[in-house]
Amino acid sequence: MTEDGEDGPLHHSCEAPGKGDSIANDSSKLNTSIVDVKSTNGHKDDLRLRNTGEGISPYQPRPPLLPRLSKSSKSISLEETVRTRRLRNSQESLSDPAETGSSTDSLKEDETVVAPSGFVIQGTAAVRNERDPSARPHSAVPTGSPAFRDRGSSLSDYERRPRSQAAKVRLSPVQPTGPLPALEKSFASATLRAANRIDRDCLDYAMPAREKLGERLHRNLSDSRLLENMGSDSASVNSMRSTYSVLSPIRPQDMRNRSFMEGSVLGSGALLGAEELDRLFPDRRVGIYIATWNMQGEKGLPVNLDDLLLPTDSEFAQDFYVIGVQEGCPDRREWETRLQESLGPYYVMLYAASHGVLYLTVFVRRDLIWFCSEAEHATVTTRIISQIKTKGAVGIAFTFFGTSFLFVTSHFTSGDAKVYERILDYNKIVEALALPKGLPDTNPYRSTPSDVTTRFDQVFWFGDFNFRLDKDRSEVEAIISSTVGGDMSPLLEHDQLSKEMKEGSIFKGFQEASIHFLPTYKFDIGRDVYDTTSKQRTPSYTDRILFRSRQANDIKTLMYTSCSNIKTSDHRPVIGVFQVKLRPGRDK
């Protein structure tokens, strides 16, 4: 500003004096689209910009007031000449296709240039002015205000410019210097990876790692066969997974191609065939956990059933859990609920049956239920009065792949000397237990109508058989105290059941694993002390688990012991873990 005041006339001008006054008086030039950059009165020029509504958008920032020009026009002319030469050199280098610039220079689309009047104008506007001198630049700011170089035009105004007027310089694309790195097969985003995290409690998902270590673990079905047909890359699998679940995806087309209710009768693709059996059980052996317990009719269940179903010395859970109870608690529904609660969501109850206070429940792993047939059950009472259902048997039968199973739990007549009555109970049960009903016999040529145990491939019979030790209590306690290393053979020499089985009068064809645990009857409730009442009953192995199979060596015992941590009854539960041979079947 000058010392004459804000509205005072300028006494120094770069061009002929009076030029500004002539423009102000000419009303026809107030509506022109360009402001005379050679004007010497800044305030009047700003007023003209506000009065003209053609060239400047109301939303576009306006440049500040134009300052007074320098006195020495020669220095300005010299500066203009230098900058003009630099501009031309830079434009020639950019227009040359052989020249390439840096990435920073390529991003500058509107490079500022110096107009011949001494003001800095946007690059594209300067090019346009060279072609059409009458065209108005979109923004004009002084050279001393570099902060406003890029505020002259908006994106929409730039897009509306005709292509004939714009000379946008495009650089040649950058080519890679070498081959790009290969993408991973599972290139899911971080969100998908977080959503598809695998719960480490599910041991089946760790199958590939365990197979490398040579460990055996039954593979979870989890539709893995469907995934094998979905392609080699897992990117499509990851993208198909729900963000709310870790379950493997299933394509509707795969479901159309394969019926899970009935497979092919041929070997290939059969639901119960050898191919499917070998995929799930490479060694064709299934794990079965059996527990038998005389609960003594206690109303209060143990606080925790983990000791009964999930012993700490077992590395893996089994495929089937079969629990037989004698003198069960009054609330059978509560008992089954507690069993399911202990086993968790990995297992479902395949079948449950009862005969009075005899309860028999079968649980199977959830992903194996497709390979089980419909289960059947039958009951037999051994009491003279059939309405009293405290003694007898209940059995459950079904087929798994091509192997038929029969599980029987029973409660025989009690009494130290009633061996003959117990043999009668056994004979009545094997003759009267009406199984199978609708299940096909896998080997009818080896079945006999008088013995239910001959009509199934694998049979497990467990319960409170009530066979005692033919010895005085004092002698039995002396033998127990003298046993070393769990060797119970001195006690078993006096066991009634072992004697009768050797003679062939009961449980023909059955076997029992070696016993290395203390007698399970009779304890004081809540204590590890045998009967201290006036009856002073002799400790005995009343609770047993026996098995038989049509083929030799089909059943292998992994564990046979008692559960000493459950003390709510005068009996200790007995548990057994077995590996059973499987054979493929035909879909029917």
Side-chain angles (χ1 to χ4, degrees), residues 386-408:
S386 61
Q387 286 76 13
I388 302 177
K389 300 178 180 180
T390 57
K391 298 292 190 294
V394 54
I396 294 178
F398 61 91
T399 60
F400 184 65
F401 281 95
T403 304
S404 58
F405 286 86
L406 173 64
F407 298 94
V408 181

Side-chain angles (χ1 to χ4, degrees), residues 460-477:
F460 291 88
W461 197 326
F462 45 94
D464 182 3
F465 299 150
N466 263 320
F467 285 96
R468 311 300 173 90
L469 293 176
D470 285 333
K471 208 71 172 173
D472 293 337
R473 173 167 177 166
S474 58
E475 297 179 0
V476 170
E477 290 179 343

Side-chain angles (χ1 to χ4, degrees), residues 355-579:
H355 178 68
V357 291
L358 288 172
Y359 303 155
L360 183 57
T361 313
V362 179
F363 288 89
V364 61
R365 280 184 55 165
R366 183 181 298 273
D367 44 8
L368 297 178
I369 196 171
W370 285 107
F371 311 100
C372 297
S373 70
E374 182 181 1
E376 301 173 345
H377 86 280
T379 61
V380 176
T381 182
T382 56
R383 288 283 192 181
I384 298 177
I385 302 177
S386 61
Q387 286 76 13
I388 302 177
K389 300 178 180 180
T390 57
K391 298 292 190 294
V394 54
I396 294 178
F398 61 91
T399 60
F400 184 65
F401 281 95
T403 304
S404 58
F405 286 86
L406 173 64
F407 298 94
V408 181
T409 185
S410 62
H411 194 184
F412 292 167
T413 302
S414 61
D416 292 347
K418 295 184 178 181
V419 177
Y420 180 72
E421 287 79 356
R422 288 189 276 272
I423 296 176
L424 291 179
D425 292 342
Y426 165 79
N427 291 330
K428 184 177 182 179
I429 292 171
V430 296
E431 293 178 3
L433 197 62
L435 288 174
K437 298 177 180 179
L439 295 176
D441 193 343
T442 56
N443 193 347
Y445 302 103
R446 304 186 64 176
S447 301
T448 57
S450 60
D451 190 349
V452 65
T453 62
T454 62
R455 300 194 286 268
F456 294 89
D457 295 323
Q458 318 293 352
V459 181
F460 291 88
W461 197 326
F462 45 94
D464 182 3
F465 299 150
N466 263 320
F467 285 96
R468 311 300 173 90
L469 293 176
D470 285 333
K471 208 71 172 173
D472 293 337
R473 173 167 177 166
S474 58
E475 297 179 0
V476 170
E477 290 179 343
I479 297 175
I480 292 175
S481 59
S482 61
T483 56
V484 178
D487 182 16
M488 299 299 172
S489 56
L491 276 179
L492 295 174
E493 293 177 359
H494 308 284
D495 179 54
Q496 294 175 351
L497 178 60
S498 299
K499 292 179 180 180
E500 298 299 330
M501 289 181 64
K502 289 179 180 179
E503 295 175 2
S505 58
I506 193 173
F507 289 113
K508 298 176 183 179
F510 280 84
Q511 305 176 52
E512 184 181 18
S514 300
I515 295 177
H516 299 283
F517 52 90
L518 296 175
T520 57
Y521 175 84
K522 171 182 179 53
F523 286 91
D524 289 344
I525 296 178
R527 303 174 61 188
D528 289 326
V529 179
Y530 289 104
D531 186 18
T532 58
T533 62
S534 58
K535 294 184 178 181
Q536 291 286 309
R537 293 184 177 89
T538 302
S540 301
Y541 291 101
T542 58
D543 309 281
R544 315 285 274 270
I545 300 176
L546 308 179
F547 56 88
R548 66 164 293 174
S549 60
R550 282 176 170 173
Q551 302 292 335
N553 302 323
D554 273 4
I555 299 178
K556 178 182 178 181
T557 304
L558 302 181
M559 177 189 300
Y560 189 40
T561 185
S562 65
C563 182
S564 59
N565 295 330
I566 296 180
K567 306 174 183 179
T568 58
S569 170
D570 57 355
H571 289 255
R572 293 289 186 264
V574 175
I575 59 178
V577 180
F578 305 90
Q579 280 188 352

Side-chain angles (χ1 to χ4, degrees), residues 272-293:
L272 306 178
E275 181 181 355
E276 194 76 6
L277 176 61
D278 293 337
R279 185 178 66 85
L280 292 174
F281 302 96
D283 55 357
R284 294 192 176 187
R285 286 190 175 272
V286 63
I288 297 179
Y289 186 102
I290 294 178
T292 177
W293 183 27

